[in-house]
Amino acid sequence: MLLFTNASQVVTCAGPARARRASELGDCAILTNAAVAIDGGAIAGVGPRDELEQRYAGAERVDCGGRVLMPGLVDSHTHAIFGKPRYEEQELRAAGADYMEIARRGGGIHASVRDLRSRDEEELYGLASGRLARLAAYGTTTVEVKSGYGLTLDDELKMLRVARRLSESQQVRIVPTFLGAHEIPLEARATPAGRADYVTSLVSAMIPRVAADGLAQFVDVFCEPGVFTVEESRSILSAARQAGLHLKLHADELRPSGGAQLAVELGATSADHLAAISHDGIRALAASETVATLLPGTMLFLGKDRQAPARALIEAGAAVALATDFNPGTSPTTNFPLILTLAVSQLRMSVSEAILAATVNGAAALGIADRVGQIAPGFSADLALFDCDDVRELPYWYGDNRCRATWVRGLACHVRTEAQARAGNA
Ligand code: NIG
Ligand code: FE
């Protein structure tokens, strides 16, 4: 048993064990003079320090040193398994090339696919575990990890096996997603029937195999003009649902195509990106259980002058989550607190809205809001300690790493020494 005391604030995010909406997002439930007791990997109690010190007199103490204690961040959208970075595309975009144009020339996702196919599982595992450690160093305790740079059965299974090894060997909680529908592979684009054949192979071979091997909890599709159409996305996700997997959708990222409505129609757990969502899409999400996951780092990094309409979504009543979209093409950052900065400064969210979107609603976007995302009795002891007096400093010191330590299931995960903290090193 551990008793966390002497936090300047305990940001509990406590409340209903489901996604928060509208005015519910206005209160992330901050306690002062509070303590948190954990036992056997779960939160045992949270409340006034004096009371908990009496109740858990025998517990080992963790002195929070006047810092902010909160639920670990839940990053519900990443492509954290990849080979080489793609920095050359950043300069191409600066010179006027568009993201989709780079993809049409065989770069973009295709470049990562070529590279990933040439690497073995061991090498990918080594690269991904380093990147996971960096995500954890910024306060993240749950990471969704997508496949999608293999685009053949064997290469996709290779990626998902890496995800499984990560979840067995690392403390961070991993949620694996099959994204075989990330692109139409170049070899399939080369023949007239290739495109339809690839969709058929996803539906009748790849999804059933991934489900049978228990390698993914979600299936995702990049539904976007020029990639998968709404019709193709519908047939792929219907097959996934039939195989017993949960659904996600890259929807209305760059151009509107009705992706948000499709996600709602199919009962997807989340619709992600949404920078180009229509009014109908906003209304559909607001009236549904589907979480609207916003990824402001992507639009920033692509140099777009537009962001997802977070205020309209929240005011319509949609359940908004935030995530990094960590990937080599459009969002090469492991810094989740930086995404909170963008949420407040670009998406015009309040700090409370941003914090709940990155914890409780991130968990809801992964179907685990009943056990992850809040400091409340019975929830998993997934905690993050930040070198701040006030939680509003988290989005404020933008780009900084203020994370001092994290715990996952009650066990220390990332720990930063005093010297590293002073120097600002992860
Ligand atoms: O979420 N949009 C599709 N997938 C990723 C980008 C992947 C890549 O460019 O490698 C995204 O932005
Ligand atoms: Fe993505």
Side-chain angles (χ1 to χ4, degrees), residues 77 79 86 89 99 108-109 112 149 179 182 222 250 253 273 295 298 302 325 327-331:
H77 184 139
H79 308 249
R86 305 211 310 263
E89 293 176 11
Y99 176 70
I109 293 170
S112 289
Y149 292 125
L179 180 58
H182 199 188
F222 187 12
H250 280 68
E253 174 175 351
H273 283 287
L295 310 162
T298 303
L302 289 179
D325 194 18
N327 77 74
T330 67
S331 188

Side-chain angles (χ1 to χ4, degrees), residues 174-191:
I174 304 283
V175 178
T177 294
F178 173 64
L179 180 58
H182 199 188
E183 243 303 357
I184 310 282
L186 284 178
E187 62 274 16
R189 283 186 183 270
T191 63

